[in-house]
Amino acid sequence: MLTRLGGRISPLNAAERATLDRAIIEVRSVGARTILARKGERLEFSTILLNGFLSRHVDDRRGQRQFLSLQVPGDLVDFHAYPMRFLDHDVSALSEAQIALIPHSSIAEITEANAGLAHKMWLTTLLDAALHRGWIFRLGRLDGPGRICHFLAETAARLCAVGLGTPERFFLPLTQADLGEACGLTSVHTSRVLKALRSAGVCTFRDGTVSIEDPAALIRTGHFDPTYLYLNDGTRPGSEAAAAKHPASGKST
Amino acid sequence: MLTRLGGRISPLNAAERATLDRAIIEVRSVGARTILARKGERLEFSTILLNGFLSRHVDDRRGQRQFLSLQVPGDLVDFHAYPMRFLDHDVSALSEAQIALIPHSSIAEITEANAGLAHKMWLTTLLDAALHRGWIFRLGRLDGPGRICHFLAETAARLCAVGLGTPERFFLPLTQADLGEACGLTSVHTSRVLKALRSAGVCTFRDGTVSIEDPAALIRTGHFDPTYLYLNDGTRPGSEAAAAKHPASGKST
DNA sequence: CGAACGTTTGAGATGACTCAAGCGTTGTGG
DNA sequence: CCACAACGCTTGAGTCATCTCAAACGTTCG
């Protein structure tokens, strides 16, 4: 069932997958635009996304929405809700979706009995933080086209990593307004940016399908550096040669 | 020594604090603007910030810097580097600072031997993710004055939580350029925004000291909602009454 | 056929940026 | 002790990106 689980760093082995599988008490189908959890709500369950797409988001007082993350199939959506007890944001379904529920009591048992799996669940929640950092960079340093390209490059990489779509083409059931809420742009401006990218031959976003016509341009425009996705397992090829034994070269005490 | 450690959610008890204390192999003083760790570098140690301020940041190809977080005294700065093996960003000192180093081998021993402390370290890294979400909202949904106010409100809350400063006045050794890099603004625009906030009687940022003249205005302008800081220990007073037993009201399978 | 929704386009306003210059303070070397 | 460089901050002028408001269009669905 959880074939795509943990597809990135440190994938689960068969035994671990089976352990998590056994902890599932319910599989549920939800309709598009269903709200799954609200900010501040006490949660007794965490969610694995089996199929479809979810978003996590906050709304400001004026009702403006900001996406915090896009969840793709295989994601452990809100495992941080187990240590945290409640969420600081909302979770909702973008498309029809299938989710699996795991009671927090089971997670507690697993983490006590299985240090290896506990470690990997920790890792998963850290990947979440790493994704957030990618979003901070996108919003803080890129303009409209840059943000859209960065988001699409990230999403392409994540979907490829779980075997959904190719680097040139994947399914993404968002509206332009959703895309804007992810990238901090209005829907009007999102439309204009997409048009520009389309006529520049970079990419096309239509009917929930993304086609990347010029991957190099997408990466360049989005200043996309996938380091933060931790797609490789720590044995990192790029940028730094030797392992650092000590941080800093500051004056010692 | 680690008096301010874990000052927010789920503080450490005396025994846990002692355990972490014993794991420290070195305390080091570093000068302002020292780089402590670089993106991609393999790390064998994680850092506790004892005194001073650090930043975590990424640079794009043009050399533009985006802050990802501000670290205040008491923070476990890069404990995610233990499961992750390497960082996806740089860490550097904003001011003179004292840091304590804990070898990853000790963290491994602790997490295996002490499930309670392991859980709290997990929590700490999750708070990091929660902070990131606050930053995503700030950058995605707020304008210049909003971002500055949100950042200052967050920082005031965090510093108060560890006993440094008051809600009206605290020490923050950043330049206006730093503040801009945190908020996704140029230093020129940061200067103008600060001037506007100053003459509106909201707050003053001068010589590394922040004075909040009108806390209500600060919070209003920054659309600041501290939920994401998890300052209270899970027993949440606000916004939601009953515990949710099931997420969503979607059609069941 | 009409309503709802997502998308597109236009026009005008404004927030934020860039480039550039000037100012005050601090630190340093002659 | 002075001169000068370096740094952080401020201000001005002009440009550009993005927003807002508004209208129109195509598709889907009832």
Side-chain angles (χ1 to χ4, degrees):
Chain A
M1 171 190 298
L2 306 175
T3 44
R4 302 199 197 89
L5 185 57
R8 292 170 293 193
I9 201 175
S10 194
L12 303 184
N13 62 35
E16 290 165 340
R17 198 166 288 165
T19 303
L20 263 193
D21 265 0
R22 275 195 304 277
I24 294 172
I25 52 152
E26 184 181 344
V27 171
R28 178 177 296 187
S29 292
V30 298
R33 307 289 155 177
T34 311
I35 296 178
L36 301 185
R38 285 184 186 283
K39 171 176 159 179
E41 213 174 58
R42 279 295 193 99
L43 296 176
E44 310 288 340
F45 300 87
S46 281
T47 306
I48 300 176
L49 179 58
L50 303 177
N51 273 299
F53 293 83
L54 309 184
S55 75
R56 293 154 57 196
H57 50 86
V58 286
D59 301 302
D60 70 9
R61 280 183 232 112
R62 295 166 307 217
Q64 303 252 59
R65 173 165 297 183
Q66 175 65 47
F67 276 35
L68 299 169
S69 80
L70 173 75
Q71 304 296 150
V72 306
D75 282 353
L76 307 187
V77 177
D78 53 6
F79 270 48
H80 53 293
Y82 158 61
M84 289 304 215
R85 322 293 302 165
F86 66 94
L87 292 180
D88 52 12
H89 55 268
D90 299 337
V91 181
S92 53
L94 292 166
S95 63
E96 293 202 354
Q98 270 202 323
I99 59 177
L101 300 181
I102 297 189
H104 286 170
S105 54
S106 303
I107 300 179
E109 287 164 22
I110 290 171
T111 54
E112 274 174 39
N114 189 335
L117 188 47
H119 190 267
K120 287 182 184 177
M121 289 198 292
W122 188 9
L123 253 173
T124 301
T125 58
L126 291 180
L127 281 171
D128 206 55
L131 263 292
H132 288 341
R133 288 191 283 273
W135 286 50
I136 291 172
F137 169 74
R138 177 191 307 151
L139 294 169
R141 278 294 155 243
L142 302 180
D143 60 7
R147 292 184 198 179
I148 299 281
C149 287
H150 189 277
F151 177 78
L152 293 179
E154 174 189 304
T155 305
R158 291 177 67 196
L159 287 174
C160 281
V162 294
L164 295 171
T166 69
E168 292 81 28
R169 192 177 181 81
F170 54 91
F171 183 61
L172 188 65
L174 304 188
T175 65
Q176 290 188 359
D178 293 329
L179 193 54
E181 285 167 358
C183 294
L185 303 172
T186 60
S187 63
V188 171
H189 196 57
T190 304
S191 172
R192 291 192 225 267
V193 170
L194 286 175
K195 180 184 179 184
L197 292 173
R198 206 184 311 130
S199 53
V202 178
C203 60
T204 309
F205 179 89
R206 238 184 69 102
D207 298 329
T209 300
V210 179
S211 309
I212 314 292
E213 277 99 36
D214 187 344
L218 190 85
I219 286 167
R220 193 173 352 105
T221 309
H223 288 250
F224 184 68
D225 170 355
T227 304
Y228 71 97
L229 296 177
Y230 290 90
L231 289 168
N232 41 17
D233 190 6
T235 31
R236 188 143 180 291
S239 96
E240 290 302 322
K245 292 236 280 296
H246 288 287
S249 47
K251 47 188 174 174
S252 245
T253 311
Chain B
M1 171 190 301
L2 305 176
T3 43
R4 302 198 196 90
L5 184 58
R8 292 169 294 193
I9 200 176
S10 195
L12 303 183
N13 62 36
E16 290 165 339
R17 196 165 291 166
T19 304
L20 264 192
D21 265 358
R22 275 195 304 277
I24 293 172
I25 52 154
E26 184 181 344
V27 172
R28 179 177 296 187
S29 292
V30 298
R33 309 289 156 175
T34 310
I35 296 178
L36 301 185
R38 284 184 187 282
K39 171 175 159 180
E41 214 173 59
R42 280 297 193 97
L43 297 176
E44 310 289 339
F45 301 87
S46 281
T47 306
I48 300 175
L49 179 57
L50 304 177
N51 272 300
F53 293 83
L54 309 184
S55 75
R56 292 154 58 197
H57 50 85
V58 286
D59 301 304
D60 71 7
R61 280 183 233 112
R62 295 167 306 218
Q64 302 252 60
R65 173 164 297 184
Q66 175 64 47
F67 276 34
L68 299 169
S69 79
L70 173 76
Q71 305 297 151
V72 305
D75 282 353
L76 309 187
V77 177
D78 52 6
F79 269 47
H80 54 293
Y82 158 61
M84 289 304 216
R85 321 293 301 166
F86 65 94
L87 292 180
D88 52 11
H89 54 268
D90 299 337
V91 181
S92 52
L94 292 166
S95 63
E96 293 204 354
Q98 270 203 324
I99 59 177
L101 300 182
I102 297 190
H104 286 172
S105 55
S106 303
I107 300 179
E109 285 164 22
I110 291 170
T111 54
E112 274 173 40
N114 188 335
L117 189 46
H119 190 268
K120 287 182 185 177
M121 288 199 289
W122 188 8
L123 253 172
T124 301
T125 58
L126 291 178
L127 281 172
D128 205 55
L131 264 292
H132 288 342
R133 288 191 283 275
W135 286 49
I136 292 173
F137 169 74
R138 176 191 308 152
L139 294 169
R141 280 292 155 243
L142 302 180
D143 61 6
R147 292 184 198 179
I148 300 282
C149 287
H150 189 276
F151 176 78
L152 293 179
E154 174 188 303
T155 305
R158 291 177 67 197
L159 287 174
C160 280
V162 294
L164 297 171
T166 69
E168 292 82 29
R169 193 178 181 80
F170 52 93
F171 182 62
L172 188 65
L174 304 188
T175 65
Q176 290 188 0
D178 293 330
L179 193 55
E181 284 168 358
C183 294
L185 303 172
T186 61
S187 63
V188 171
H189 196 56
T190 303
S191 172
R192 291 192 226 266
V193 169
L194 287 174
K195 180 185 179 184
L197 292 173
R198 207 183 309 132
S199 53
V202 178
C203 58
T204 309
F205 179 90
R206 238 185 69 103
D207 298 329
T209 300
V210 179
S211 309
I212 314 291
E213 277 99 38
D214 186 344
L218 191 84
I219 286 167
R220 191 173 354 103
T221 309
H223 288 249
F224 184 68
D225 171 355
T227 305
Y228 71 97
L229 296 177
Y230 291 91
L231 289 168
N232 41 17
D233 190 5
T235 32
R236 189 147 179 287
S239 89
E240 290 302 320
K245 291 236 278 298
H246 289 284
S249 46
K251 47 186 172 174
S252 246
T253 310

